[in-house]
Amino acid sequence: MIDRQVYYFDNNATTRVAPEVVEAMISSLRDGWGNPSSAYSFGAQAARQIDHARAQVATLIGADPKEVVFTSCGTESNNAVLQSALATQPGKRHIVTTAVEHSAIIKHCEFLQKQGVEVTFVPVDADGLLDLHLLDQSIRPDTALVSVMWANNETGMVFPIEEIAAICQSHNVPFHTDATQVPGKMKIDVRALGVDFLTLSAHKLHAPKGVGMLYVRRHAKFQPYIIGGHQERGKRGGTENTASIIGFGCAAELAQAHLEDENTRVRALRDRLESTILRTIPNTIRTGAKEPRLPNTSNIAFDFVEAEGILMALDQLGICASSGSACTTGSLNPSHVLTAMGIKPARAKGCVRFSLGIYNTEQEVDYVLKHLPEVIAHLRQAVPRPTPKPGKHTAKLPAHAG
Ligand code: PLP
């Protein structure tokens, strides 16, 4: 247990489990622990609760409950959809994705490449945005799947999923989007989007870790990834993680209610944090375009200092932030997302992601703004840095740089 106050600015890594979710789960763990597949009424009671959660999650994304497949996490959903696309279309051995996907897509695609599958990683520009013409051109007659994330976990950049779905439809190629970072921040309507598959992960929306979801559009070809029992209408074997699924359902309802707060109050907190840092701390720059972006995410490069040092110093102050995706923290390589945006390693290594959430307050932002300038100044003083040629470095920074 942490016995000091935590200033949590890492909501893209995971989120606090909402008290309502904890409550919903406790009664399942304590009293409703029957196996949902059992024929007697004690088991059937658990099955009914899962059905209720399925309806709640379906409502969040505008789907039919029968199109919701519960999995163990976002990673499993992403892996499952890639494997299924290849298994159900044996003649097709090509996948189109982007250079900035989460490792749950990128690493699995690299694994598939070793098995002879061809993968096109569509690049992004310096703002982190996609060239849709290039994406369109990348689709081939043997393309089994296009998989493009909706919102980037490191920069918050939002891709135009509806337009990409239309491109895929024009080629008659199935389309998957990893929407893990989206719930509670943007409205999700799978029908309006026109996607065939969509991934969510419960722990990004104030539910527990270890439960996720794959939306599988009705009539879309799908081959289960985890093969075993008949659970999830035969689409995912394994006894259901009942309590967590119930928590996920509860959190899905809360996420609908959080949309407004995320897009007004949380957005304003993020904007104040970001603009004050850029204005008051010299040699800082936001990575990625200002819009279209998630309302909660800010990724900032602090030149002449390494993110690891910043994060350690912030940790001493009880502040949690991240140097990119949690999965790459600790590795010495700069993030693949920032590298794909053409950010040089020296700058990428100084990038810190602040991702806010519904539990952040004005006072917490004040606390970060009070301490961060000292932290950066101290680290810059401690580490000798190359002297920039007079006027050269600052001239390169865009107008919003501090
Ligand atoms: N996709 C994105 C965009 C993510 O941000 C994450 C988690 O960071 C995942 C997938 C993986 O989700 P999980 O942690 O549930 O495996």
Side-chain angles (χ1 to χ4, degrees):
M1 278 301 252
I2 304 258
D3 53 5
R4 60 170 185 187
Q5 179 160 358
V6 168
Y7 298 83
Y8 193 73
F9 286 82
D10 204 14
N11 284 273
N12 289 9
T14 196
T15 54
R16 172 182 162 186
V17 181
E20 298 92 324
V21 171
V22 175
E23 282 309 310
M25 291 176 67
I26 283 175
S27 71
S28 161
L29 288 168
R30 196 182 45 212
D31 309 316
W33 42 263
N35 189 324
S37 297
S38 297
Y40 40 78
S41 52
F42 184 49
Q45 181 192 326
R48 269 198 306 279
Q49 288 190 303
I50 290 179
D51 282 346
H52 180 59
R54 195 183 305 285
Q56 288 171 308
V57 173
T59 303
L60 174 70
I61 64 170
D64 187 293
K66 291 195 185 98
E67 297 171 312
V68 168
V69 179
F70 287 117
T71 63
S72 69
C73 57
T75 300
E76 183 193 320
S77 301
N78 285 351
N79 282 208
V81 78
L82 291 169
Q83 289 286 348
S84 166
L86 296 167
T88 56
Q89 306 165 94
K92 300 195 173 184
R93 304 286 287 167
H94 176 239
I95 284 167
V96 174
T97 187
T98 80
V100 294
E101 298 297 307
H102 187 269
S103 51
I105 289 286
I106 299 244
K107 294 281 177 198
H108 201 87
C109 281
E110 287 170 0
F111 165 76
L112 292 171
Q113 278 178 317
K114 290 192 190 120
Q115 299 177 343
V117 175
E118 285 185 65
V119 182
T120 304
F121 295 97
V122 181
V124 293
D125 64 15
D127 278 334
L129 300 171
L130 274 178
D131 177 345
L132 294 194
H133 184 61
L134 210 55
L135 184 130
D136 188 9
Q137 285 179 329
S138 306
I139 300 174
R140 316 188 314 207
D142 66 338
T143 302
L145 183 77
V146 174
S147 180
V148 176
M149 70 195 324
W150 195 345
N152 189 277
N153 45 304
E154 294 193 34
T155 60
M157 300 317 307
V158 170
F159 289 149
I161 292 308
E162 217 174 317
E163 286 174 60
I164 298 170
I167 292 172
C168 294
Q169 271 164 19
S170 74
H171 289 273
N172 204 16
V173 171
F175 177 47
H176 164 250
T177 188
D178 177 355
T180 299
Q181 293 294 343
V182 173
K185 298 166 199 156
M186 294 187 332
K187 186 172 160 19
I188 306 176
D189 180 345
V190 285
R191 302 255 179 275
L193 285 173
V195 297
D196 298 293
F197 306 97
L198 178 143
T199 289
L200 292 186
S201 171
H203 74 102
K204 311 289 182 173
L205 60 139
H206 304 286
K209 293 152 197 64
V211 59
M213 185 227 62
L214 182 65
Y215 158 76
V216 179
R217 187 183 52 74
R218 198 180 199 153
H219 303 311
K221 284 185 197 159
F222 184 73
Q223 155 81 42
Y225 182 52
I226 307 272
I227 299 170
H230 56 268
Q231 293 89 353
E232 298 300 293
R233 303 168 70 84
K235 291 198 166 74
R236 200 270 183 186
T239 303
E240 297 88 339
N241 184 352
T242 312
S244 294
I245 289 172
I246 290 168
F248 190 1
C250 174
E253 259 185 29
L254 296 174
Q256 298 268 56
H258 293 158
L259 265 180
E260 203 192 321
D261 190 41
E262 285 271 9
N263 281 286
T264 52
R265 196 187 61 87
V266 175
R267 182 187 290 273
L269 284 180
R270 187 276 312 265
D271 289 347
R272 182 162 78 84
L273 178 73
E274 179 175 281
S275 60
T276 313
I277 292 173
L278 296 178
R279 204 179 59 248
T280 59
I281 305 182
N283 298 311
T284 52
I285 178 174
R286 184 192 56 246
T287 50
K290 198 165 188 181
E291 295 294 339
R293 197 166 47 135
L294 289 175
N296 76 320
T297 308
S298 176
N299 192 310
I300 296 178
F302 296 85
D303 282 346
F304 314 121
V305 60
E306 296 225 337
E308 294 303 312
I310 304 175
L311 297 178
M312 277 164 65
L314 292 180
D315 188 26
Q316 298 288 310
L317 295 158
I319 300 168
C320 307
S322 162
S323 62
S325 76
C327 317
T328 56
T329 299
S331 92
L332 291 173
N333 297 328
S335 117
H336 69 280
V337 174
L338 304 178
T339 304
M341 289 162 69
I343 298 174
K344 297 267 179 300
R347 174 167 282 174
K349 284 184 178 183
C351 285
V352 174
R353 176 187 74 186
F354 298 93
S355 50
L356 287 72
I358 49 155
Y359 294 116
N360 283 119
T361 63
E362 294 282 354
Q363 290 73 20
E364 288 178 332
V365 169
D366 289 341
Y367 182 80
V368 174
L369 290 173
K370 179 174 167 221
H371 291 285
L372 191 59
E374 289 162 33
V375 164
I376 301 297
H378 180 77
L379 288 169
R380 281 184 179 155
Q381 237 175 14
V383 180
R385 60 168 154 137
T387 331
K389 287 192 187 140
K392 197 176 168 212
H393 171 73
T394 35
K396 265 192 187 169
L397 294 173
H400 58 258

